[in-house]
Amino acid sequence: MASNRTFDEIEIGESAEVERTLTADDLFVFAHASGNINPTHLPDIDWSGDGVIDAPVAPFMWVGSLISAVLGNQLPGPGTAYKSQTFRFLEPVEVGDRLTVRATVTAKEDGRVLRLSTRVTRADGVCVTEGEAIVVAPDRRITFDASALPGILVERHQHFDRLVGFAAGLPPLPVAVVSPDDANSLGGALMAASHGLITPILIGRAEAIAHTAAEIGGVLDGIEIIDLPTDDQAARRAVELVHEGRVRALMKGHLHTDTLLHHVVKRDGGLRTGKRLTHCFVMDISGRPTPVIISDAAINIAPDLTAKVDIVQNAIDLARAIGTEVPKVGVLSAVETVNPAMASSIDAAVLSKMAERGQITGGIVDGPLAMDNAIDIRAARSKGISSLVAGQADVLIAPNLEAGNMLAKELTFVAHAEAAGLVVGASVPIILTSRADHARSRLVSCALALLHDHWLKTGASVVVPHEDGEAAEERGKQIARETATDASGKPAQSARDASGSNA
């Protein structure tokens, strides 16, 4: 709650201050609000054209605008009206700089006019901006509830940048790519290979693969191709390569998912582990502090309780592989209380109890939870839900495939989240791509497979907290720029034309 000080209450020499750290999102918001798209003020852009991303500096007027936060919120506060403001801009401000913004009353004049000296300093004590503000102070008490202010969400996908960056730091993953004879599947495999995420072995109709490569401008030099005439034979051979130790993941190309999975799940010679195969969508949702996993939205149509145990455990394992140390799992239903007439609520309660008893390990499981109180802490509190998961779920378990699939696609196409996916539960990760998947989705799916493979081998994740992962994030942003695509899905002519983030 913001409250003001009236003209009569204010004394000469009185001061107020706020602190603010410049973030990349601040630069995007200011660019949109002001219309100033000078590239020297925008993150992740090589504006000098030398092939190196240039560090942005804040527009000086963004720095100057911080002074209004002191005047409008504290001194005098709500009801203040500007008459004039002068600035002397002395030093640049960069992303990460912590600023102290201070205003001090120097004079009181007729007409409720105040003069205030204004000063903005960095954490090292260096003054970056100074000047004078002249304002008309309010003559009556005004309070304002700041919680009524609508939020602003900047559409950036930093989680995927970081995951790709960390994956790129690992040795490439040997992958059998099954029937990659269309532009999407072959292009995705070649893109991931060019950035060191996978070492592909292409299995299928060699002539069709070569023809597709020529169409998309792909280079097959040095890539092994196993020529087989049918999708079924290609899928069988891919599974055999896993048993031979030549590959550690499979990637679906231009064939039906059932054809590939038939050879994965067969009892003799398949890739069974005793767990059910489940699909996990990993979502990079703007504004969420971690990636969000949704399962199962692609394989298990109407899972029973036994299947849901594997769905939950597989999702926890993948979350740990991508850096969530103790995943919080929300098991979804239409309500947050157990209703005997609603099977999903009963399953959710049982799964929660099974996790408490150690039958599901590695995460914290709670349910039933409705979607709102699974991801929004205020919704959870408004319904009196006290839980380590409610309002902060890292994993969302859908009651069935239809609900999971709709949830993932609503987040993608309505909330502008980015999605990647992986099938887990087999002895190796399986990259399932769709014709609708764009280049970045395919690339991130390969990164997920590499990170999951590393976790399977070592029991540890290479993904570290954000403050320790800045180099990986920058590496991921660079890869994102280099893999930008045009409308046809072909590689963009210039990586410089693409930005790893957008607002």
Side-chain angles (χ1 to χ4, degrees), residues 24 39 169 181 197 259 289 316 357 371 384 395 402 463 496 499:
D181 52 21
L197 298 180
T259 303
I316 289 173
R357 299 291 173 87
M371 181 64 182
V395 177
E402 291 171 303
V463 182
R496 264 184 221 119
S499 170

Side-chain angles (χ1 to χ4, degrees), residues 23 93 99 144-145 167 171 195 210 232 250-251 283 312 323 344 350 400 451 463 475 492:
T23 69
V93 174
L99 304 176
F144 174 69
D145 183 2
H195 289 90
D232 185 75
L250 305 182
M251 184 174 183
M283 313 292 296
V312 172
S344 62
V350 174
N400 53 48
L451 293 169
V463 182
R475 185 162 59 233

Side-chain angles (χ1 to χ4, degrees), residues 26 43 73 84 96 147 176 197 234 258 270 283 305 307 313 323-324 383 431-432 443 451 455 477:
D26 290 327
N73 298 342
S84 68
S147 66
L197 298 180
D258 290 347
M283 313 292 296
L305 180 61
Q313 188 64 66
T324 306
K383 295 188 176 181
I431 305 160
L432 281 187
L443 184 80
L451 293 169
W455 185 83
K477 288 177 181 177

Side-chain angles (χ1 to χ4, degrees), residues 41-267:
H41 302 317
L42 296 176
D44 309 325
I45 292 178
D46 169 24
W47 57 265
S48 62
D50 60 1
V52 178
I53 300 305
D54 300 291
V57 296
F60 278 126
M61 288 308 296
W62 178 85
V63 179
S65 71
L66 299 181
I67 294 168
S68 67
V70 180
L71 303 179
N73 298 342
Q74 297 186 42
L75 184 67
T80 299
Y82 250 126
K83 288 180 69 69
S84 68
Q85 173 79 57
T86 62
F87 293 115
R88 289 181 63 236
F89 298 114
L90 306 173
E91 293 287 337
V93 174
E94 299 179 347
V95 172
D97 281 349
R98 182 74 175 173
L99 304 176
T100 299
V101 187
R102 187 176 183 86
T104 303
V105 178
T106 58
K108 298 179 69 173
E109 301 176 354
D110 293 341
R112 306 198 317 275
V113 171
L114 296 179
R115 289 180 178 269
L116 302 98
S117 65
T118 57
R119 185 178 177 88
V120 181
T121 57
R122 290 199 307 250
D124 59 6
V126 173
C127 179
V128 298
T129 299
E130 63 182 11
E132 182 185 55
I134 302 177
V135 302
V136 177
D139 60 357
R140 60 189 178 89
R141 179 73 64 204
I142 300 174
T143 59
F144 174 69
D145 183 2
S147 66
L149 187 68
I152 294 178
L153 187 64
V154 177
E155 186 183 321
R156 302 179 71 224
H157 299 104
Q158 296 169 294
H159 298 313
F160 277 3
D161 289 337
R162 297 184 69 244
L163 294 179
V164 170
F166 278 111
L170 294 170
L173 181 66
V175 176
V177 188
V178 185
S179 300
D181 52 21
D182 73 319
N184 283 342
S185 59
L186 182 59
L190 295 180
M191 180 184 297
S194 70
H195 289 90
L197 298 180
I198 69 172
T199 300
I201 297 177
L202 310 180
I203 310 172
R205 294 170 288 277
E207 184 177 349
I209 293 171
H211 178 74
T212 300
E215 284 187 337
I216 66 174
V219 178
L220 300 178
D221 295 348
I223 297 177
E224 181 179 354
I225 301 175
I226 299 176
D227 186 15
L228 290 171
T230 69
D231 292 341
D232 185 75
Q233 290 173 316
R236 180 187 297 112
R237 182 62 185 135
V239 171
E240 290 172 351
L241 291 180
V242 174
H243 289 292
E244 294 170 10
R246 297 188 58 199
V247 301
R248 296 203 307 273
L250 305 182
M251 184 174 183
K252 174 181 173 287
H254 191 217
L255 77 163
H256 288 295
T257 299
D258 290 347
T259 303
L260 175 59
L261 296 185
H262 167 73
H263 292 281
V264 171
V265 302
K266 63 186 179 183
R267 295 189 180 277

